[in-house]
């Protein structure tokens, strides 16, 4: 209930602030099953738009454990289905927690395989979680303002969803298998970006680069 309530409030706020969001190919999203929604991480609010466009599906998130030290922020994170991750020393819970949620709840997972907003290196965690939880990997991209102030300028926001990425033919999640999955995921991102805007090129803000 809390997730749905907050999502409704955020939808209204973003409509007032920006009011220029476009969600494309939502038909590609699985309807009756959980899945992992993956995207290149370009700004701190891209998961918000991704979750809004995939409504009414509810999601869980990974968040760096430092955010949970603030009791107020911790309350909201926990009730918004976020769970802490130690980025420097990720333990077994990084995989076990999302796998359990994907298996035993009605919540899907939003995940950024690159980890950070300015990294292009894809990680293997999504593949392992997908295989253990027996759920699909669905690609998604965000194109829009990277600075919060630009949202107020009503610059357009685009979120495009893609068809699930097929990895069932990859038998082993070894170095070669993960490299092939990385290629397929990156190709899916590139295709979605091109479908929105053939001339699009992601350029991190100076703050992100620093």
């Amino acid at each position: 209930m809390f997730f749905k309530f907050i999502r409704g409030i955020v939808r209204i706020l973003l409509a007032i602030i920006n009011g220029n969001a476009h969600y494309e190919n939502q038909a590609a999203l699985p309807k009756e099953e959980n899945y992992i929604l993956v995207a290149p991480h370009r700004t701190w609010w891209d998961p918000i738009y991704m979750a809004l466009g995939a409504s009414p599906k509810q999601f869980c998130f990974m968040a760096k454990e430092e955010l949970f030290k603030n009791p107020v922020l911790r309350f909201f994170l926990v009730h918004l289905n976020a769970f802490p991750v130690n980025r420097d020393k990720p333990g077994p819970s990084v995989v076990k927690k999302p796998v359990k949620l994907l298996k035993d709840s009605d919540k899907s997972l939003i995940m950024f395989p690159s980890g950070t907003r300015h990294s292009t290196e894809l990680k293997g965690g999504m593949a392992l979680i997908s295989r253990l939880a027996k759920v699909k990997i669905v690609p998604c991209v965000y194109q829009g303002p990277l600075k919060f102030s630009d949202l107020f300028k009503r610059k357009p926001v685009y979120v495009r969803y893609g068809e699930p990425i097929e990895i069932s033919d990859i038998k082993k999640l070894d170095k070669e298998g993960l490299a092939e999955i990385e290629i397929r995921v990156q190709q899916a991102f590139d295709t979605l970006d091109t479908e929105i805007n053939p001339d699009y090129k992601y350029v991190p803000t100076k703050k992100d680069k620093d």
Side-chain angles (χ1 to χ4, degrees):
M1 287 296 296
F2 189 82
F3 184 95
K4 293 180 179 179
F5 172 74
I6 294 297
R7 179 160 56 185
I9 296 296
V10 170
R11 189 186 299 278
I12 294 171
L13 289 175
L14 287 178
I16 295 172
I17 292 171
N18 178 265
N20 198 5
H22 309 269
Y23 302 102
E24 300 181 352
N25 200 32
Q26 292 163 299
L29 296 170
K31 298 297 187 295
E32 304 296 333
E33 59 189 278
N34 284 338
Y35 53 91
I36 303 175
L37 189 60
V38 300
H41 201 5
R42 292 171 174 168
T43 180
W44 63 263
W45 56 83
D46 50 12
I48 297 174
Y49 276 102
M50 290 163 57
L52 289 177
S55 180
K57 189 64 180 176
Q58 293 194 48
F59 291 92
C60 54
F61 309 81
M62 296 181 181
K64 58 182 181 180
E65 63 179 7
E66 293 83 358
L67 298 176
F68 288 79
K69 293 180 180 179
N70 182 302
V72 176
L73 187 56
R74 177 186 176 86
F75 173 85
F76 280 94
L77 288 171
V78 170
H79 286 81
L80 289 173
N81 310 322
F83 53 93
V85 172
N86 185 326
R87 290 184 176 180
D88 296 324
K89 297 179 180 179
S93 62
V94 173
V95 172
K96 289 182 178 179
K97 181 68 173 181
V99 168
K100 181 174 176 58
L101 286 167
L102 287 165
K103 280 186 170 182
D104 300 338
S105 76
D106 61 349
K107 298 174 181 62
S108 289
L109 172 68
I110 287 181
M111 190 173 183
F112 299 98
S114 61
T116 62
R117 291 197 300 276
H118 50 277
S119 172
T120 57
E121 180 185 359
L122 299 179
K123 311 299 182 184
M126 63 175 177
L128 181 57
I129 294 171
S130 169
R131 184 149 296 181
L132 292 175
K134 296 181 172 59
V135 298
K136 297 174 181 175
I137 296 174
V138 179
C140 174
V141 298
Y142 166 97
Q143 288 186 19
L146 301 180
K147 295 194 303 182
F148 189 64
S149 59
D150 285 341
L151 283 176
F152 288 87
K153 298 176 183 178
R154 304 185 78 81
K155 291 187 176 182
V157 170
Y158 292 92
V159 176
R160 184 171 179 85
Y161 304 95
E163 300 297 328
I165 300 169
E166 182 58 58
I167 63 170
S168 61
D169 60 310
I170 299 175
K171 303 305 179 184
K172 294 183 179 181
L173 296 182
D174 53 12
K175 183 177 180 180
E176 290 74 19
L178 291 175
E180 176 59 29
I181 292 172
E182 179 172 333
I183 290 172
R184 295 182 190 184
V185 172
Q186 188 59 58
Q187 287 178 340
F189 291 162
D190 293 342
T191 297
L192 291 171
D193 273 327
T194 300
E195 289 172 345
I196 297 174
N197 179 3
D199 299 321
Y200 178 79
K201 183 178 180 181
Y202 169 62
V203 180
T205 63
K206 186 178 184 300
K207 183 178 180 181
D208 281 341
K209 290 178 181 178
D210 295 339

